[in-house]
Amino acid sequence: MTRLALFAAAGLALAAAACAPTQTGPMYGGAMSRDFNAADFAWSQQAGQSAIAGVVRYSDGGQAYRCAGSVGLNPVTPYTRHRFNTLYGSIERAAVPASVVRARTVEAADPDYPPYVRSTACDADGRFAFRGLPAGEWFVIAPVQAGGGEPVVLMRRVVTRSNGTAELTLN
């Protein structure tokens, strides 16, 4: 093999390694379930070096919306995929009036589910962060409101990677 061929092979191997997924949390694809299984959530309780840094920049009809409560972080599992698909009509992203979310039929949350949900407040500029996360898939939800109008709930699926920060704009 020539030197050029060796360098090319080494370069391809490095490129493949750089593109290799660093995901450590399970990826559930399209799996959904009404049944809560604590084992599906276990990965989300591990300490990690990942973070999500976000900001709310939602507007509708010329009105800018601001955070109207805590931002929630939910691990993606078959159970949460089912719940979020039912409540928000999507498992990727949504902006749904809070009254519509409340009106959608979903079973009461399993009593073992709440400890797996994290929350944080937005600052005055709509910024929020979750740190010390393990790599994996997460749902971020944030209630927002413009003036005294009806609150809207924003939802977005986010993937964190090992030792990195996922930047997120909820718009």
Side-chain angles (χ1 to χ4, degrees):
M1 201 180 250
T2 68
R3 264 190 203 182
L4 184 57
L6 285 172
F7 284 125
L12 287 173
L14 283 173
C19 294
T22 56
Q23 186 74 29
T24 57
M27 300 290 279
Y28 292 104
M32 293 189 196
S33 175
R34 293 172 187 245
D35 299 323
F36 178 87
N37 181 349
D40 291 338
F41 289 85
W43 67 270
S44 70
Q45 298 301 292
Q46 298 171 14
Q49 299 297 315
S50 299
I52 297 172
V55 62
V56 172
R57 295 278 184 256
Y58 182 73
S59 64
D60 186 30
Q63 290 191 305
Y65 284 64
R66 301 183 61 84
C67 283
S70 295
V71 177
L73 184 67
N74 297 261
V76 174
T77 68
Y79 179 79
T80 56
R81 287 174 71 90
H82 168 73
R83 290 186 68 76
F84 279 60
N85 191 56
T86 302
L87 293 171
Y88 302 103
S90 174
I91 54 169
E92 292 300 323
R93 73 183 293 165
V96 183
S99 62
V100 173
V101 174
R102 284 190 298 272
R104 290 185 171 159
T105 304
V106 67
E107 305 81 23
D110 188 284
D112 293 330
Y113 171 50
Y116 297 101
V117 178
R118 302 172 192 220
S119 67
T120 191
C122 284
D123 69 12
D125 295 322
R127 297 189 181 284
F128 60 91
F130 294 96
R131 303 196 189 293
L133 302 173
E137 284 184 282
W138 305 88
F139 290 120
V140 175
I141 56 172
V144 297
Q145 192 169 19
E150 179 177 11
V152 171
V153 182
L154 306 178
M155 182 277 295
R156 179 84 57 87
R157 186 183 66 84
V158 179
V159 177
T160 56
R161 306 277 181 205
S162 298
N163 300 318
T165 299
E167 300 285 336
L168 173 65
T169 300
L170 293 173
N171 55 6

